[in-house]
Structures are given as structure tokens and as C-alpha cells.
Amino acid sequence: MQSTRLLAVNETLRQLSFELGSGSRDLAGHLDAIADLLKVSLDCSRVTLWLLQRRHPERTLDCTAFSSHSRTLKVSRCALPQPAVQAYLDALLASGLLAVEDVRQAPALAALDAAYCRPEGVVATLDAAFVVNGQAVGVACCEQIGQPRRWLPEEAAVLRRVAQAVTLDLARVALGVKPEDECSDEVRRLLQALSAAGQGPHTG
């Protein structure tokens, strides 16, 4: 039986997907709304959403959206290079979801900790990937700043559900774009990530 929190998240996801599909909300606004939803649902310090840039190895992950308590908690490192994220992505795809109570104690995240978590003050993180054809095209990161945090199974279930919905939303956006269409920066990054992953109908 689904929890009240998960039921509320599902209802919001349906509304956001409808708004994206109808054109009343663009992709950038959609991702911001997804970040806000996770922020409120999990009550963490900050949520960041990232798209992969496999055609630009000097900046493999680009921050696309974020949400924090006051929106004054800015993300100063919005592009992360391949050496900083490769082990992290490998661990994330191997497990499907990372629930890390203290990144300082996670060897697989050592490079990411040095490049991003420590400078940003992120101590705990709950992450899930947007996966198309078995390859990550982006990630959602629920971040706890300044202190460790033990993530609850219900919180992990909420993030899994949101990641599944966003994956489908991203695939629908990509399939609806024609070669002659003008694209926003977010849609262009999405198309590049999906193209590099071998975009198709199978999502996971």
C-alpha cells in the first residue's frame, strides 16, 4: 500500500507531466518544478538535477535545475568533469539508487566529494539516475548540507518514483522534437544526452 506522501507525489507528477505535454510549461520550468517537488517531499537542504554531456568530456554533468529552502543557496559548481563523476555514475547505475549517509565515508564518491560535495558543503546525498536504454542521461540529487543524514526507505521510494516519471517525460520531449525545431538550451542538452545514449523507446 502506497504511503500518503507517495500518493501526493504521484498526483503532482501527473499534473506536471500534463503541463509539460500540453506546452503550458517548458522543460526548464518542468525540471525546476520537479526539484521543488523533491525538496518539499524529502525536506532536504537542496535538490539538484543534472544532464549528462557526453559530447563535452571536459564537463560531463551540467546542473539544469535546483531547489533550496530560500533559493539563496546557490550552486557554484554547475559543470563537473568526467574524472570527478565516472566512479559515481558507475556506482549509481550498478545499484539504481544511491543513499549515502556521509559522502566522506564513501570511497566510490571520493572524486565527486573533492570536486563538488566538499566545496558545496554536501555531506549526505540521495541520488537516482534518469536511464534510457541502460545508460544514464541525467541524475537527480537530494542533498543534505552540513551534516550526515540517514535516508529512509520511504524517501528512497519517492525518489525512485520521481526518477521514473522524469525519465518518461524526457523521452517524450525528445521524441516530439523535429530536426527543424528551435530548441531551448535544456532541450538541446537533453537531445545530445539521449543521442549519445542511443535514444529509443525503452526506459528504465
Side-chain angles (χ1 to χ4, degrees):
M1 182 176 178
Q2 289 185 335
S3 68
T4 301
R5 176 161 50 176
L6 192 53
L7 288 171
V9 166
N10 280 330
E11 182 58 34
T12 302
L13 288 171
R14 281 192 288 270
Q15 179 63 30
L16 291 177
S17 293
F18 172 79
E19 292 173 3
L20 180 66
S22 67
S24 61
R25 191 186 294 268
D26 63 12
L27 181 58
H30 181 69
L31 293 176
D32 276 339
I34 291 293
D36 289 340
L37 172 61
L38 283 170
K39 172 71 187 62
V40 171
S41 299
L42 301 185
D43 191 27
C44 54
S45 303
R46 183 173 68 194
V47 173
T48 53
L49 303 183
W50 306 72
L51 291 178
L52 270 74
Q53 300 300 305
R54 290 187 175 86
R55 295 183 182 180
H56 301 281
E58 72 280 4
R59 52 184 184 90
T60 301
L61 275 178
D62 278 357
C63 185
T64 302
F66 84 95
S67 178
S68 67
H69 278 299
S70 62
R71 289 197 180 274
T72 59
L73 188 61
K74 299 298 184 182
V75 182
S76 60
R77 289 154 185 81
C78 296
L80 298 176
Q82 189 271 342
V85 300
Q86 190 57 59
Y88 158 74
L89 289 174
D90 290 344
L92 180 57
L93 288 177
S95 61
L97 183 141
L98 286 180
V100 183
E101 184 173 346
D102 190 335
V103 296
R104 298 166 299 188
Q105 307 300 320
L109 304 188
L112 183 67
D113 184 34
Y116 176 77
C117 295
R118 242 180 294 158
E120 293 285 332
V122 176
V123 177
T125 186
L126 177 67
D127 299 1
F130 310 134
V131 178
V132 176
N133 291 340
Q135 294 193 59
V137 298
V139 295
C141 306
C142 303
E143 303 171 354
Q144 194 66 32
I145 292 175
Q147 61 185 4
R149 173 169 173 169
R150 184 174 66 87
W151 303 97
L152 302 176
E154 183 187 9
E155 293 170 335
V158 166
L159 180 56
R160 283 187 189 276
R161 176 67 191 99
V162 170
Q164 290 168 353
V166 173
T167 295
L168 292 173
D169 289 337
L170 294 178
R172 291 189 188 105
V173 167
L175 289 171
V177 175
K178 299 176 182 177
E180 65 273 17
D181 289 346
E182 292 187 10
C183 299
S184 68
D185 290 341
E186 288 78 14
V187 172
R188 191 174 296 108
R189 285 197 293 266
L190 169 63
L191 293 174
Q192 290 174 352
L194 288 171
S195 174
Q199 191 259 337
H202 301 295
T203 59

